[in-house]
Amino acid sequence: GVIGDSLTPTLLTRFAQAFGTYVGSGTVVVGRDTRTSGEMVRQAVVAGLLSSGCRVVDAGVCPVPTVQLAVRHRRALGGIAITASHNPAEWNALKFIGPDGLFLGAGPARELLDIYHQGEYVKVAGTEIRSVEQMTDALDLHFKAILDAVGPLPAGARRLRVALDACTGAGVFIAPRLLEALGVDVVPINVTPNGLFPRPAEPIPENLGALCEIVRAHDCDIGFAQDMDADRLAVVSERGVPIGEDFTLVLAAWYVLGKQPGPVVANLSTTAALDEVARRFKCQVLRTKIGEANVTERMQSERAVIGGEGNGGVIYPAINFARDSQVGMALILHLLASTGKTVSALMADLPRFVMIKEKLTCPSNQIPDVLRMVKREFAALPMDTRDGVKVMLPNGWFHVRGSNTEPIVRVVAEGPSEAEARAVVKDVFARVAAIVNG
C-alpha cells in the first residue's frame, strides 16, 4: 500500500502480530530494501513480532533473496521482507516467508489472513518480550553461497566489462562486490543506497535509458539492471539495447542446462523461447500459475535444475529457492565467458519472439465475466485455464488474467513479430474492454 494512506503503522503491526501468531512465537528474520519508508515499516513490524513473543533477527538492508537464505540458515520459523519491489517510491509492502525460505503458498497465506482478520493474536507479557538480534553476516552468507555454487569466471577468458544499474536499491550492498569477485570490470550507476528513485524501479526497457548510454559509452559487454529489492534482473546487450526481461531466464537456463540437464519450471506467461532452449538439451519446461510461490513449489516437486518467471526472475535451487538477480548475473556472465559470444549473438541464435503486455483497470467482481468471454470466444483453440485463460495460437499465444495485487486485468501476447503480437493484444484488449466498460 501507499505510505501515509492505506499502509499505516497500525496495519503493519497487526500483520506482524498475525504472522508471529501464525509461526508460533519463534525466530523470525526481518530485512528491508532502501526505501525511505523502510525504517518506519521495520519498527512497526518489529513491534508486532516482539509483542507476539517472537525472537527477531534483523538482517538489515539487504535483497529479498538474502532474507530467504537467512531464514534457512538460521532455521527460523519464518521471515518478513519489507519491500514494494518494483512499485513506485510511495509504496511499501511485506513479503511473508515460511520456514523453508519460500514465500507462503495459497493455503498458508489464507491461514495468515484468517488470523489477521480474526484479530486474536498471541500477546506476551513485558517480562517475556525478547531482544532483537542484529544479523551482521547475512550479506556475506549470500555472497559466499553464490560464489561457492557458481564460482568465478574461467581463468584465461577475456575479461568482461559490465555496467550495473542497482537503482539505489538493496542490490547496492552485494551486486558490485559479487561482480568483482566473479572477475569482471564493473561500471556502476545508481549505487548510492539512499532509497531515492533515479528511475522507475521496474527494470523494463523504457526505464533503462541511462544504463543503455553507459553500456555504449564505456564499451561494455553487457548491462544489468535491478529493482529495489534485487530479485528481478534485466539485461542490456553490448549494443546498448535492452533484450527484454523475459529473456533473462532464457539466458540463465541456457548456461545451466548445458552443464546439468533437467526439468525447467516457469509460469504461464514466460516466453516460448525458453521451451526452445530446453529442447536443445532434450529437457522439459513445466508451466505453473503466476507467482514465485507456485514456481518454487513445482520446482521442488519436480527437482528442477532451474526455474523462474518472465519478469526477470531467475531461481537457481543450487543456491536458493528464490528469484535472485545476483544469481542471474553470475549465470549469464558464465554463459558469455563459456561461449565467447556477445549478448546480441546469443539472442540471434534464439527464435524470434516478441511479447506485448497491456493492462486494463477492472473491478475484481468483473474478472470472472472477462474470463468467461475469453473461453467462449476462443473455444476452438487449445487453452490453459489454471490461471486466467492462456490461449495457444498457430504462431504464438495470449494470456488474460486478473492481477493478484492490483484491480486490473492483464493481457499478454507473444508472436514471431511485434506487428503480430500487437494485433493479437489489440483484438483481445478490445474484447476485454467491452466487458469491463459495459
Side-chain angles (χ1 to χ4, degrees):
V2 175
I3 295 294
D5 183 8
S6 57
L7 198 64
T8 65
T10 300
L11 179 71
L12 292 160
T13 300
R14 287 183 61 199
F15 260 110
Q17 288 176 296
F19 189 68
T21 303
Y22 170 75
V23 300
S25 302
T27 297
V28 176
V29 178
V30 176
R32 69 176 181 92
D33 69 16
T34 60
R35 288 171 186 265
T36 53
S37 62
E39 179 59 19
M40 181 277 285
V41 177
R42 185 195 70 84
Q43 292 193 31
V45 165
V46 169
L49 291 172
L50 292 177
S51 71
S52 60
C54 289
R55 175 172 176 266
V56 176
V57 174
D58 187 355
V61 179
C62 61
V64 165
T66 306
V67 179
Q68 294 176 262
L69 194 67
V71 167
R72 290 170 43 219
H73 178 73
R74 286 299 188 97
R75 294 186 173 88
L77 293 184
I80 298 179
I82 300 167
T83 176
S85 189
H86 61 277
N87 286 294
E90 63 269 21
W91 288 71
N92 217 323
L94 307 182
K95 293 185 176 182
F96 296 102
I97 301 162
D100 51 6
L102 308 182
F103 292 128
L104 298 187
R110 280 193 299 269
E111 187 176 346
L112 173 61
L113 279 173
D114 286 344
I115 294 171
Y116 167 77
H117 288 303
Q118 290 165 8
E120 297 178 0
Y121 315 130
V122 170
K123 300 183 181 73
V124 300
T127 55
E128 299 173 30
I129 290 179
R130 306 181 187 186
S131 59
V132 177
E133 177 192 347
Q134 301 300 319
M135 184 177 181
T136 58
D137 63 345
L139 289 163
D140 292 337
L141 175 72
H142 191 184
F143 174 84
K144 184 176 185 301
I146 298 173
L147 273 187
D148 287 350
V150 180
L153 299 185
R158 182 178 68 84
R159 193 172 179 89
L160 300 173
R161 182 175 296 168
V162 177
L164 171 69
D165 178 356
C167 198
T168 72
V172 166
F173 295 99
I174 183 171
R177 175 186 172 198
L178 175 67
L179 290 172
E180 291 173 0
L182 287 169
V184 303
D185 295 327
V186 184
V187 182
I189 62 170
N190 300 327
V191 290
T192 302
N194 54 21
L196 303 178
F197 283 56
R199 59 166 170 83
E202 190 168 15
I204 53 179
E206 52 263 41
N207 297 335
L208 305 182
L211 178 62
C212 293
E213 290 179 12
I214 289 292
V215 168
R216 291 189 291 265
H218 292 267
D219 195 25
C220 294
D221 296 284
I222 193 170
F224 289 130
Q226 299 174 293
D227 60 352
M228 292 299 284
D229 60 349
D231 62 352
R232 291 170 58 174
L233 177 69
V235 175
V236 170
S237 77
E238 79 288 350
R239 297 173 181 171
V241 177
I243 68 170
E245 56 180 347
D246 299 288
F247 285 91
T248 300
L249 175 59
V250 176
L251 296 181
W254 191 337
Y255 175 71
V256 171
L257 294 178
K259 296 179 67 67
Q260 183 188 1
V264 181
V265 176
N267 70 35
L268 288 167
S269 285
T270 301
T271 176
L274 182 64
D275 301 79
E276 172 59 26
V277 167
R279 273 194 291 271
R280 295 179 184 181
F281 297 99
K282 299 180 180 179
C283 297
Q284 182 182 15
V285 176
L286 304 166
R287 300 283 176 170
T288 73
K289 296 171 65 174
I290 308 297
E292 183 176 334
N294 298 313
V295 174
T296 52
E297 182 179 351
R298 188 75 183 275
M299 287 181 69
Q300 288 185 314
S301 66
E302 301 288 346
R303 297 185 178 180
V305 296
I306 191 167
E309 299 190 281
N311 57 10
V314 176
I315 303 171
Y316 187 41
I319 299 170
N320 202 8
F321 277 101
R323 291 183 305 177
D324 192 334
S325 62
Q326 285 73 214
V327 171
M329 292 181 206
L331 296 177
I332 292 171
L333 288 173
H334 270 281
L335 178 66
L336 293 180
S338 62
T339 62
K341 294 183 177 181
T342 63
V343 174
S344 296
L346 291 169
M347 292 297 295
D349 196 26
L350 291 169
R352 177 170 173 78
F353 290 111
V354 177
M355 191 178 296
I356 304 296
K357 303 177 183 180
E358 293 288 351
K359 59 186 178 181
L360 178 69
T361 300
C362 176
S364 58
N365 65 324
Q366 286 188 295
I367 291 174
D369 294 333
V370 168
L371 300 181
R372 278 192 292 268
M373 176 275 295
V374 175
K375 285 188 279 190
R376 181 179 64 251
E377 297 192 13
F378 295 91
L381 295 171
M383 60 180 62
D384 189 318
T385 59
R386 286 177 292 170
D387 189 354
V389 183
K390 180 178 181 179
V391 178
M392 304 307 300
L393 304 171
N395 294 315
W397 54 268
F398 72 84
H399 190 190
V400 180
R401 59 181 289 272
S403 170
N404 292 326
T405 56
E406 303 172 78
I408 61 174
V409 166
R410 298 189 185 276
V411 180
V412 181
E414 185 173 62
S417 70
E418 181 177 352
E420 290 176 85
R422 285 198 182 280
V424 171
V425 167
K426 182 179 179 180
D427 175 46
V428 177
F429 189 88
R431 297 175 193 238
V432 171
I435 298 292
V436 174
N437 298 327

Short mmCIF file of all heavy atoms in Angstrom, two decimals, residues 168-193:
data_model
loop_
_atom_site.label_atom_id
_atom_site.label_comp_id
_atom_site.label_asym_id
_atom_site.label_seq_id
_atom_site.Cartn_x
_atom_site.Cartn_y
_atom_site.Cartn_z
N THR A 168 19.68 2.34 -6.81
CA THR A 168 19.88 2.75 -5.41
C THR A 168 19.19 1.80 -4.44
O THR A 168 18.87 2.16 -3.30
CB THR A 168 19.40 4.19 -5.13
OG1 THR A 168 17.97 4.25 -5.15
CG2 THR A 168 19.96 5.17 -6.15
N GLY A 169 18.95 0.56 -4.86
CA GLY A 169 18.23 -0.41 -4.04
C GLY A 169 19.14 -1.31 -3.23
O GLY A 169 20.34 -1.07 -3.08
N ALA A 170 18.56 -2.40 -2.74
CA ALA A 170 19.29 -3.29 -1.83
C ALA A 170 20.43 -4.03 -2.52
O ALA A 170 21.36 -4.49 -1.86
CB ALA A 170 18.31 -4.31 -1.23
N GLY A 171 20.38 -4.13 -3.85
CA GLY A 171 21.46 -4.79 -4.57
C GLY A 171 22.78 -4.07 -4.46
O GLY A 171 23.84 -4.66 -4.69
N VAL A 172 22.75 -2.79 -4.10
CA VAL A 172 23.97 -1.99 -3.93
C VAL A 172 24.96 -2.69 -2.99
O VAL A 172 26.18 -2.61 -3.18
CB VAL A 172 23.60 -0.60 -3.37
CG1 VAL A 172 24.84 0.13 -2.86
CG2 VAL A 172 22.90 0.23 -4.44
N PHE A 173 24.43 -3.39 -1.99
CA PHE A 173 25.29 -3.95 -0.93
C PHE A 173 25.92 -5.29 -1.29
O PHE A 173 26.72 -5.81 -0.51
CB PHE A 173 24.48 -4.09 0.36
CG PHE A 173 24.04 -2.78 0.92
CD1 PHE A 173 22.75 -2.30 0.69
CD2 PHE A 173 24.91 -1.99 1.66
CE1 PHE A 173 22.34 -1.09 1.19
CE2 PHE A 173 24.51 -0.77 2.16
CZ PHE A 173 23.22 -0.31 1.93
N ILE A 174 25.56 -5.86 -2.43
CA ILE A 174 26.13 -7.15 -2.78
C ILE A 174 26.52 -7.26 -4.25
O ILE A 174 27.54 -7.89 -4.57
CB ILE A 174 25.17 -8.31 -2.40
CG1 ILE A 174 25.79 -9.67 -2.68
CG2 ILE A 174 23.82 -8.16 -3.09
CD1 ILE A 174 24.98 -10.84 -2.14
N ALA A 175 25.76 -6.66 -5.16
CA ALA A 175 25.99 -6.87 -6.59
C ALA A 175 27.37 -6.40 -7.07
O ALA A 175 28.07 -7.15 -7.75
CB ALA A 175 24.88 -6.22 -7.41
N PRO A 176 27.82 -5.16 -6.76
CA PRO A 176 29.14 -4.75 -7.24
C PRO A 176 30.25 -5.66 -6.70
O PRO A 176 31.18 -6.02 -7.44
CB PRO A 176 29.28 -3.32 -6.69
CG PRO A 176 27.87 -2.85 -6.48
CD PRO A 176 27.13 -4.07 -6.04
N ARG A 177 30.16 -6.02 -5.44
CA ARG A 177 31.15 -6.89 -4.83
C ARG A 177 31.17 -8.27 -5.50
O ARG A 177 32.24 -8.83 -5.76
CB ARG A 177 30.83 -7.02 -3.34
CG ARG A 177 31.69 -7.98 -2.56
CD ARG A 177 31.15 -8.09 -1.14
NE ARG A 177 31.80 -9.14 -0.37
CZ ARG A 177 31.30 -9.67 0.73
NH1 ARG A 177 30.14 -9.22 1.20
NH2 ARG A 177 31.94 -10.62 1.37
N LEU A 178 29.99 -8.80 -5.80
CA LEU A 178 29.91 -10.11 -6.44
C LEU A 178 30.49 -10.07 -7.84
O LEU A 178 31.25 -10.97 -8.24
CB LEU A 178 28.46 -10.58 -6.48
CG LEU A 178 28.20 -11.89 -7.23
CD1 LEU A 178 28.85 -13.06 -6.49
CD2 LEU A 178 26.72 -12.14 -7.42
N LEU A 179 30.17 -9.03 -8.60
CA LEU A 179 30.68 -8.93 -9.97
C LEU A 179 32.20 -8.87 -9.98
O LEU A 179 32.86 -9.51 -10.81
CB LEU A 179 30.09 -7.70 -10.65
CG LEU A 179 28.59 -7.78 -10.98
CD1 LEU A 179 28.08 -6.44 -11.48
CD2 LEU A 179 28.30 -8.87 -12.00
N GLU A 180 32.77 -8.12 -9.06
CA GLU A 180 34.23 -8.05 -8.99
C GLU A 180 34.83 -9.39 -8.62
O GLU A 180 35.86 -9.81 -9.17
CB GLU A 180 34.64 -6.97 -7.98
CG GLU A 180 34.33 -5.55 -8.45
CD GLU A 180 34.59 -4.51 -7.39
OE1 GLU A 180 35.02 -4.89 -6.27
OE2 GLU A 180 34.35 -3.31 -7.66
N ALA A 181 34.18 -10.13 -7.71
CA ALA A 181 34.68 -11.44 -7.31
C ALA A 181 34.57 -12.46 -8.45
O ALA A 181 35.37 -13.39 -8.55
CB ALA A 181 33.91 -11.95 -6.10
N LEU A 182 33.57 -12.26 -9.32
CA LEU A 182 33.43 -13.15 -10.48
C LEU A 182 34.55 -12.91 -11.48
O LEU A 182 34.87 -13.80 -12.29
CB LEU A 182 32.08 -12.93 -11.15
CG LEU A 182 30.85 -13.47 -10.41
CD1 LEU A 182 29.58 -12.95 -11.05
CD2 LEU A 182 30.86 -14.99 -10.38
N GLY A 183 35.17 -11.72 -11.43
CA GLY A 183 36.30 -11.45 -12.31
C GLY A 183 35.97 -10.57 -13.49
O GLY A 183 36.52 -10.76 -14.58
N VAL A 184 35.08 -9.58 -13.29
CA VAL A 184 34.76 -8.65 -14.38
C VAL A 184 35.06 -7.23 -13.92
O VAL A 184 35.19 -6.95 -12.73
CB VAL A 184 33.27 -8.77 -14.79
CG1 VAL A 184 32.94 -10.18 -15.20
CG2 VAL A 184 32.34 -8.30 -13.66
N ASP A 185 35.17 -6.34 -14.89
CA ASP A 185 35.30 -4.91 -14.59
C ASP A 185 33.90 -4.32 -14.51
O ASP A 185 33.06 -4.56 -15.39
CB ASP A 185 36.11 -4.20 -15.68
CG ASP A 185 37.55 -4.69 -15.74
OD1 ASP A 185 38.10 -5.02 -14.66
OD2 ASP A 185 38.11 -4.75 -16.85
N VAL A 186 33.64 -3.53 -13.47
CA VAL A 186 32.30 -3.03 -13.21
C VAL A 186 32.24 -1.53 -13.47
O VAL A 186 33.08 -0.76 -12.98
CB VAL A 186 31.87 -3.31 -11.76
CG1 VAL A 186 30.42 -2.86 -11.53
CG2 VAL A 186 32.02 -4.79 -11.43
N VAL A 187 31.23 -1.11 -14.23
CA VAL A 187 30.93 0.31 -14.43
C VAL A 187 29.57 0.55 -13.78
O VAL A 187 28.52 0.24 -14.35
CB VAL A 187 30.87 0.67 -15.93
CG1 VAL A 187 30.59 2.16 -16.09
CG2 VAL A 187 32.15 0.27 -16.64
N PRO A 188 29.55 1.09 -12.54
CA PRO A 188 28.30 1.19 -11.80
C PRO A 188 27.60 2.54 -11.97
O PRO A 188 28.24 3.58 -12.13
CB PRO A 188 28.76 1.02 -10.35
CG PRO A 188 30.13 1.64 -10.33
CD PRO A 188 30.72 1.44 -11.71
N ILE A 189 26.26 2.48 -11.95
CA ILE A 189 25.46 3.70 -11.82
C ILE A 189 24.35 3.43 -10.81
O ILE A 189 23.96 2.29 -10.58
CB ILE A 189 24.85 4.18 -13.15
CG1 ILE A 189 23.90 3.14 -13.74
CG2 ILE A 189 25.93 4.54 -14.15
CD1 ILE A 189 23.09 3.65 -14.93
N ASN A 190 23.87 4.49 -10.18
CA ASN A 190 22.77 4.40 -9.22
C ASN A 190 23.09 3.40 -8.09
O ASN A 190 22.29 2.52 -7.78
CB ASN A 190 21.47 4.01 -9.92
CG ASN A 190 21.06 5.01 -10.98
OD1 ASN A 190 21.31 6.21 -10.84
ND2 ASN A 190 20.45 4.54 -12.06
N VAL A 191 24.26 3.55 -7.49
CA VAL A 191 24.68 2.64 -6.43
C VAL A 191 24.83 3.35 -5.08
O VAL A 191 25.51 2.85 -4.19
CB VAL A 191 26.00 1.91 -6.80
CG1 VAL A 191 25.76 0.91 -7.92
CG2 VAL A 191 27.10 2.91 -7.18
N THR A 192 24.19 4.50 -4.92
CA THR A 192 24.13 5.14 -3.61
C THR A 192 22.84 4.68 -2.93
O THR A 192 21.75 4.98 -3.40
CB THR A 192 24.11 6.67 -3.75
OG1 THR A 192 25.29 7.09 -4.44
CG2 THR A 192 24.06 7.34 -2.38
N PRO A 193 22.93 3.94 -1.81
CA PRO A 193 21.75 3.30 -1.22
C PRO A 193 20.88 4.27 -0.41
O PRO A 193 20.67 4.09 0.79
CB PRO A 193 22.35 2.22 -0.35
CG PRO A 193 23.66 2.78 0.09
CD PRO A 193 24.18 3.58 -1.10
#
